[in-house]
Amino acid sequence: MIKVVDVVKRYGAVKVVDGVSLTIPKGKITSLIGPNGAGKSTLLSIISRLLARDSGSVYIDGKELAQWGSKDLSRKISILRQSNHIDLKLTIRELVSFGRFPYCQGNLSEEDWGIVDRALEYLQLTEIQDKYLHQLSGGQRQRAYLAMVIAQDTDYVFLDEPLNNLDMQHAVEIMQILRSLVRELGKTVVLVIHDINIASCYSDYIVALQDGQVVGEGCGEEIMEESLLKKIYKLDFCVGQINNQRVCVYYN
Amino acid sequence: MSIGGVLRKRYLILLLIVFAMATLGMGLQGLDQYVMQIMVISRIPRLLTVILVGMSMAIAGLIMQQISRNRFVSPTTAGTVDAAKGGVICTLLFFPGASPLLKMLIVFLFAMAGTFLFMFVLRKIKFKNVIFVPLLGIMFGNIFNSITTFVAYRHDLVQNISAWLMGNFALVTQGRYELLYLSIPLLGIAFFFAHQFTIAGMGEEFAINLGLNYKFVVNVGVGLVALLSALVVVTVGQIPFLGLIVPNIITIFYGDNIKGNLTAAALLGAVLLLGADLLGRVLIAPYEIPVGLTLGTVGSMLFLYLIFRGERT
């Protein structure tokens, strides 16, 4: 379980994250939604120790972030950001093997390579494992990064806009992978996401942010509510039920 | 055979042996009674120097390229070598009688300061264009250079400084190159940190995610680059291009995982430099062309070929 208590982050005079407190349930998919500038990515970066906060606490399995050693933390949480996407000439297999760094400092044992192989297989990358990252399509590349995270084998997986630039087919494919990470491998997944219909259909828990503050949290049905969405996004929403899932239309 | 084929490690080793034999054995006809003396005093020191310098510059370039995340950043395009030259003038002025080791230390401190300054500026600027960053480094180096030239001019040392400008192996003899042995443990450290450099090259956030001490690894990298560059500048002077071409050629054929390509880079650096040195000795024999000139010519042509050829691998 992750507990965030009263976290504040300022850029100059602007409070980007303004006293956020929340609890992220273990073994679930949690989505952070909200308009641009709501502080979603900043909050995710703070929880995953990439960014220092000005005040407040973050507890991961009951232990404050500052109390964790960096090596132990890298076996506990992993984070993928859009800006991670690099232009080094590396193969998928090399990238995925980096996921074992927290365990072996670069000298992979046979067991480590076995874990790399299984991660590749899990994301159906075995056949193209020797291709270079820059030769891949967007969906394949995202899967390669996810395979690295699986090889890193952390309880918590944080993803900043993992569906960016993906078409519908690949977006759904990634979400299904995330769901299986939770159901089959027992991971806890936290992601920042813009498509609220996807968030509604795939998340167990949704946190809505606006101007650095939490303005709503709960399961999909609690968040997919016309007045709340209108307040957050300043658009007229029409929420309906299709196949037992709440979806909304906001195009007018 | 394609260039990629030639780059296989066993061919590189074969070329290295052939060039080494040529370096040792060239022009010895009729000097039978002096052969041992020539070998010990001149030929073997020269061979070892060229090999160690070639490896050092190639590895320094590879590390620099990786930690700056830019293919065109090398010790010569990031102010490192120019700052080192500033160190040389400093030793000439203030410590003329210093031991080679002390000279090397002073030059190293200058190279280190210059490189860290560049890395610091690099961290501050927002506009990280592939071409802009090395241009900035070259400008940076030119500022160091003009200060050095100014000081040299005031103290009538311009000639001494321009002698450093052109890397030259003709003056390498027994007793004047041994400092370079220090590069062997440094290259060992580079191999030890290889994996870390690759991860650091993927960016600070990526490195933190994997539990890597990013700042420490970058500092180790910059320190290694500065030390290797200082060693080379103090013993033979400035070797242009090598730190830029070798990492780029290696990346095209081996990819960016440093762990797998350090050996190939070291071998290629040694082979290219040995080849350029041999060429300089043969072309206008019995005189010599400084290796800086031959390497600059051969290297720039090779580099142009690679650019126009594109990444067809």
Side-chain angles (χ1 to χ4, degrees):
Chain A
M1 195 174 72
I2 293 177
K3 215 169 142 65
V4 178
V5 183
D6 215 14
V7 164
V8 175
K9 175 73 188 175
R10 285 186 201 86
Y11 284 127
V14 186
K15 280 186 176 173
V16 192
V17 176
D18 187 2
V20 167
S21 296
L22 53 93
T23 302
I24 295 168
K26 199 159 186 168
K28 302 251 160 55
I29 296 185
T30 300
S31 293
L32 304 179
I33 63 163
N36 290 332
K40 311 176 294 289
S41 294
T42 311
L43 182 63
L44 197 74
S45 296
I46 290 171
I47 300 175
S48 56
R49 58 85 169 79
L50 292 185
L51 193 67
R53 61 225 127 117
D54 291 320
S55 64
S57 322
V58 177
Y59 297 94
I60 291 180
D61 284 350
K63 198 164 156 190
E64 223 286 328
L65 261 188
Q67 249 77 60
W68 282 91
S70 73
K71 200 194 266 180
D72 290 335
L73 208 50
S74 63
R75 297 173 184 179
K76 194 72 181 172
I77 61 175
S78 53
I79 165 124
L80 280 184
R81 294 193 44 149
Q82 214 55 42
S83 58
N84 279 151
H85 290 197
I86 38 137
D87 52 5
L88 287 186
K89 197 173 170 188
L90 295 170
T91 64
I92 299 181
R93 189 176 175 78
E94 284 170 336
L95 178 78
V96 176
S97 75
F98 290 158
R100 296 310 293 166
F101 184 80
Y103 301 88
C104 65
Q105 304 300 306
N107 297 312
L108 281 80
S109 65
E110 222 156 278
E111 194 193 335
D112 290 313
W113 282 117
I115 293 169
V116 170
D117 285 334
R118 260 170 290 157
L120 287 165
E121 204 169 312
Y122 196 77
L123 291 190
Q124 292 161 16
L125 293 164
T126 309
E127 274 174 28
I128 54 168
Q129 58 177 309
D130 292 321
K131 273 197 168 186
Y132 286 110
L133 292 176
H134 66 260
Q135 298 170 323
L136 305 178
S137 69
Q140 287 172 330
R141 196 173 305 136
Q142 197 60 274
R143 261 166 40 213
Y145 280 98
L146 282 175
M148 187 195 88
V149 165
I150 292 174
Q152 200 178 338
D153 196 19
T154 57
D155 292 345
Y156 298 93
V157 176
F158 301 103
L159 306 161
D160 192 354
E161 296 188 33
L163 307 183
N164 224 359
N165 293 325
L166 295 186
D167 60 27
M168 286 172 279
Q169 183 202 346
H170 291 101
V172 166
E173 180 187 83
I174 295 294
M175 291 312 292
Q176 282 167 344
I177 291 167
L178 296 184
R179 185 182 267 169
S180 67
L181 282 187
V182 170
R183 304 233 168 118
E184 291 167 17
L185 305 180
K187 311 278 183 206
T188 304
V189 173
V190 183
L191 64 155
V192 168
I193 188 167
H194 276 294
D195 188 327
I196 49 179
N197 284 331
I198 288 192
S200 163
C201 296
Y202 285 95
S203 341
D204 304 300
Y205 198 70
I206 298 178
V207 178
L209 291 162
Q210 187 184 23
D211 297 329
Q213 293 177 326
V214 177
V215 288
E217 54 183 313
C219 64
E221 288 187 4
E222 290 168 275
I223 300 298
M224 294 298 282
E225 204 267 312
E226 285 168 6
S227 62
L228 178 65
L229 290 177
K230 180 172 180 176
K231 187 176 148 236
I232 300 170
Y233 290 101
K234 317 255 183 316
L235 284 171
D236 287 322
F237 280 83
C238 180
V239 177
Q241 195 98 0
I242 299 177
N243 286 344
N244 271 334
Q245 286 168 323
R246 285 224 172 183
V247 287
C248 66
V249 175
Y250 47 89
Y251 324 101
N252 50 17
Chain B
M1 197 191 311
S2 71
I3 288 208
V6 178
L7 280 173
R8 292 237 183 85
K9 280 174 204 158
R10 59 190 132 136
Y11 294 119
L12 285 176
I13 292 172
L14 199 70
L15 268 176
L16 188 69
I17 293 171
V18 172
F19 285 174
M21 290 303 172
T23 299
L24 290 177
M26 206 167 62
L28 286 177
Q29 300 90 331
L31 295 167
D32 295 347
Q33 72 262 47
Y34 300 113
V35 164
M36 268 321 283
Q37 230 176 331
I38 293 175
M39 283 291 164
V40 172
I41 294 176
S42 158
R43 292 294 165 90
I44 291 174
R46 183 168 192 152
L47 175 67
L48 289 175
T49 305
V50 176
I51 290 177
L52 286 176
V53 167
M55 289 185 168
S56 298
M57 289 315 284
I59 300 289
L62 197 62
I63 295 173
M64 196 78 191
Q65 176 184 304
Q66 198 86 311
I67 58 180
S68 66
R69 307 180 73 185
N70 189 309
R71 297 208 185 293
F72 297 104
V73 170
S74 76
T76 30
T77 55
T80 309
V81 170
D82 301 281
K85 278 192 284 181
V88 171
I89 195 92
C90 176
T91 59
L92 285 177
L93 269 183
F94 301 111
F95 310 94
S99 69
L101 195 65
L102 180 64
K103 275 187 190 154
M104 205 286 293
L105 269 177
I106 294 165
V107 175
F108 160 65
L109 288 177
F110 271 75
M112 190 91 157
T115 317
F116 270 117
L117 198 59
F118 177 71
M119 294 301 282
F120 176 76
V121 173
L122 199 59
R123 206 170 296 170
K124 291 287 160 197
I125 54 165
K126 295 271 181 287
F127 183 63
K128 287 193 178 127
N129 181 287
V130 207
I131 301 300
F132 178 73
V133 169
L135 277 182
L136 189 82
I138 291 169
M139 268 159 48
F140 214 69
N142 279 335
I143 295 174
F144 284 132
N145 245 335
S146 48
I147 297 172
T148 309
T149 311
F150 176 74
V151 175
Y153 186 71
R154 293 291 292 257
H155 294 87
D156 213 8
L157 289 169
V158 177
Q159 276 203 321
N160 301 43
I161 274 298
S162 53
W164 288 104
L165 213 66
M166 261 305 160
N168 194 349
F169 293 110
L171 304 172
V172 173
T173 48
Q174 190 183 20
R176 298 184 62 171
Y177 78 103
E178 284 79 358
L179 198 61
L180 263 182
Y181 285 133
L182 281 178
S183 63
I184 296 173
L186 294 177
L187 294 176
I189 297 174
F191 274 87
F192 182 77
F193 276 95
H195 204 76
Q196 269 95 321
F197 289 141
T198 310
I199 290 177
M202 301 176 85
E204 184 163 8
E205 291 182 342
F206 201 96
I208 293 175
N209 170 46
L210 292 176
L212 182 80
N213 190 338
Y214 178 78
K215 291 211 168 77
F216 174 72
V217 170
V218 168
N219 288 344
V220 168
V222 170
L224 276 176
V225 169
L227 265 173
L228 288 169
S229 305
L231 274 172
V232 170
V233 167
V234 167
T235 40
V236 294
Q238 182 178 346
I239 305 294
F241 268 112
L242 204 61
L244 188 65
I245 318 167
V246 173
N248 276 289
I249 296 177
I250 290 297
T251 295
I252 291 174
F253 296 103
Y254 282 84
D256 272 317
N257 192 355
I258 293 197
K259 205 178 180 184
N261 61 21
L262 265 183
T263 325
L267 283 173
L268 182 62
V271 165
L272 269 182
L273 197 58
L274 266 179
D277 186 47
L278 276 174
L279 203 62
R281 287 169 64 186
V282 171
L283 281 181
I284 54 165
Y287 305 103
E288 277 197 29
I289 301 173
V291 75
L293 198 63
T294 47
L295 187 71
T297 317
V298 175
S300 48
M301 286 194 299
L302 201 61
F303 199 52
L304 280 177
Y305 168 75
L306 285 170
I307 289 173
F308 287 124
R309 185 176 168 276
E311 279 202 23
R312 282 185 287 121
T313 49

